[in-house]
Amino acid sequence: MHRQQGAQPRAKSAFAAAFLSLIFPGLGQAYAGQADFDAAIAALQRALALSPTVAEAQLTLGTIYLRQGRLPEAEQALRAELANHPDSVQARHQLATVLDLAGRTAEAIPLLQALLADAPRFAHGRYRLRKMLLAC
């Protein structure tokens, strides 16, 4: 019976961590929507500390870093999102945007072409690809 009592707090702790790892990305997105980027980053980093593969946490971090002009951090976060969620249309698009803005358009174009092969109706991707091709 003593062993069972020790397992119960661990189970509750694991449940709490899983629950919070789902709450913090939403909180981070809410803060980002209000342009409170420091609070957004803190919430997202907390989510990632609880669950490193939680969906959209790295995507949102990458988007914030992109908006702040922190392109190396944006690229790192977006690549981390894609390592865990390779089908994320938004992460793929944002990464191509980061690469383009960093002057690495030759790397960005094939990413967008592959994205549009998978999601041909993704208007933002079509727009970004046309813009890149016209600039070449």
Side-chain angles (χ1 to χ4, degrees):
M1 187 180 292
H2 184 265
R3 180 179 244 165
Q4 236 177 358
Q5 288 175 347
Q8 190 175 21
R10 282 193 300 270
K12 285 182 181 179
S13 177
F15 174 78
F19 177 74
L20 289 174
S21 73
L22 297 175
I23 295 298
F24 282 118
L27 185 59
Q29 290 169 346
Y31 282 131
Q34 297 174 350
D36 188 348
F37 298 127
D38 291 336
I41 290 169
L44 293 163
Q45 288 175 336
R46 181 94 189 264
L48 290 165
L50 293 167
S51 177
T53 62
V54 65
E56 297 190 12
Q58 293 282 11
L59 169 61
T60 305
L61 271 177
T63 302
I64 291 168
Y65 293 145
L66 172 60
R67 289 178 68 180
Q68 293 178 324
R70 297 166 58 181
L71 299 182
E73 292 100 326
E75 180 180 355
Q76 181 180 7
L78 293 165
R79 287 192 186 280
E81 179 74 20
L82 288 169
N84 294 306
H85 309 282
D87 295 330
S88 171
V89 171
Q90 291 295 332
R92 293 164 72 187
H93 176 255
Q94 292 289 58
L95 178 58
T97 301
V98 167
L99 293 172
D100 183 39
L101 292 174
R104 295 161 54 195
T105 305
E107 290 177 63
I109 289 173
L111 286 177
L112 281 178
Q113 289 171 328
L115 166 64
L116 291 170
D118 295 338
R121 295 181 147 210
F122 186 60
H124 293 294
R126 287 195 318 268
Y127 171 78
R128 172 69 60 189
L129 180 60
R130 277 194 298 267
K131 188 174 175 182
M132 286 181 202
L133 292 172
L134 287 173
C136 290

